[in-house]
Amino acid sequence: MTPAEPLPASSPWPNRWRRRGAGWASLLRVPVCPVGRWVQGRARALDDPAAQKDGLTIVLPGIQGRSFAEYDLAVGLAWGGLPGRIAVVDWTSGWFFRAFLHLRDTAMHEAGGEEAARLVTEHRRLHPDAPVTVIGYSGGAAVALHALSRLPAGVRATRTLLIAPACSAPTDAAALADRCEQGVDVICSRLDVPILVGLLVALGTTDGRHRPGAGWGGFEKADAPGFREHHWRPAWTGRFHYGGHFGAVNRVFAAEALAPLLLSSGASGGSP
């Protein structure tokens, strides 16, 4: 965005400087993102059960657990107009130094999926007309897929968003698109090499394969109704997503790309 270009009328930012400040703050927090577990900031107020009547968004974090990354994502989605309660549901042990163990702990993924499925089911019972969205970031994408597979008959989420999924490409995520009224969206990036290629080839994906994660090049089975992949493109740099593993959870990208995507009709799909 050039200095002379005005913000769009629908922008959540009061001016260009606040927008830039939000984007750079998210970038600068990346090296210390685990500290966010103890510094929730504005994200704490978003996890308000009273707001759930307007909708529920369940954010399943990466293998590091609660961090600045997920809280920036939550705040950005709220600034972008996503209504209702936005809750970061930590499926990990809560200890950052065990992050690599979280990556391969299938039992923990399944338990987190059970809890997320329970939250979706309970929300549908209490607020049947309010949307419920499941977001899985990195390792949390596997937990999100477990959640969809465990939804009871007759219960569906509104939409699911997988951000930089750390499960392997052969995972049949597309088969679960019918568990959501508006399908499943995936955010991918070929520039996400250090984490989704280097780390996962060395240590293994969430499903135990030593190969790049699906968030790098996409899923092998992606041709299914309601299943949409959105691959990184240079225009996203204008929204502070430079292609890396933390780009899609930047507050600016969440507000200007992900929130409109989730608010769009599943039929049209939308595009970040």
Side-chain angles (χ1 to χ4, degrees):
M1 180 175 286
T2 62
E5 183 182 357
L7 291 170
S10 60
S11 173
W13 322 106
N15 54 60
R16 292 188 299 274
W17 301 110
R18 287 287 295 276
R19 178 182 184 274
R20 291 170 179 168
W24 279 104
S26 287
L27 284 175
L28 294 174
R29 279 193 287 265
V30 168
V32 294
C33 72
V35 178
R37 168 173 291 275
W38 300 280
V39 189
Q40 297 185 34
R42 299 182 182 183
R44 183 187 299 274
L46 299 177
D47 191 0
D48 179 9
Q52 196 163 320
K53 59 182 175 54
D54 297 320
L56 171 65
T57 299
I58 299 167
V59 178
L60 300 166
I63 60 173
Q64 77 282 347
R66 294 173 182 265
S67 73
F68 278 131
E70 290 75 23
Y71 291 141
D72 278 346
L73 172 63
V75 171
L77 291 173
W79 284 349
L82 198 67
R85 179 185 183 186
I86 303 178
V88 178
V89 179
D90 195 352
W91 55 271
T92 73
S93 68
W95 295 96
F96 172 72
F97 64 83
R98 297 189 63 190
F100 295 146
L101 297 178
H102 301 156
L103 178 66
R104 297 287 299 275
D105 194 330
T106 304
M108 191 173 287
H109 304 161
E110 293 175 349
E114 288 277 6
E115 174 62 12
R118 185 192 67 79
L119 292 173
V120 172
T121 303
E122 182 69 4
H123 176 77
R124 283 303 195 198
R125 184 182 69 82
L126 296 174
H127 309 287
D129 298 324
V132 54
T133 301
V134 179
I135 300 178
Y137 169 50
S138 190
V143 181
L145 294 177
H146 280 296
L148 293 183
S149 70
R150 284 162 171 73
L151 289 177
V155 175
R156 294 198 296 169
T158 303
R159 200 162 185 164
T160 292
L161 175 63
L162 308 178
I163 300 174
C167 47
S168 68
T171 302
D172 195 2
L176 295 171
D178 62 356
R179 302 294 180 94
C180 303
E181 295 168 351
Q182 297 179 4
V184 174
D185 293 274
V186 186
I187 305 297
C188 307
S189 174
R190 286 279 187 181
L191 298 184
D192 192 348
V193 174
I195 302 294
L196 291 183
V197 179
L199 182 67
L200 297 187
V201 168
L203 300 180
T205 59
T206 52
D207 50 325
R209 292 183 169 99
H210 292 271
R211 56 180 296 168
W216 180 66
F219 288 91
E220 290 180 0
K221 300 176 182 178
D223 187 14
F227 190 79
R228 300 166 292 267
E229 291 185 343
H230 310 273
H231 293 261
W232 184 89
R233 49 187 181 272
W236 287 6
T237 59
R239 291 170 173 165
F240 288 88
H241 186 349
Y242 297 104
H245 199 64
F246 293 87
V249 294
N250 187 285
R251 287 190 183 191
V252 173
F253 189 78
E256 297 183 357
L258 298 184
L261 174 68
L262 294 174
L263 291 169
S264 67
S265 166
S268 61
S271 181

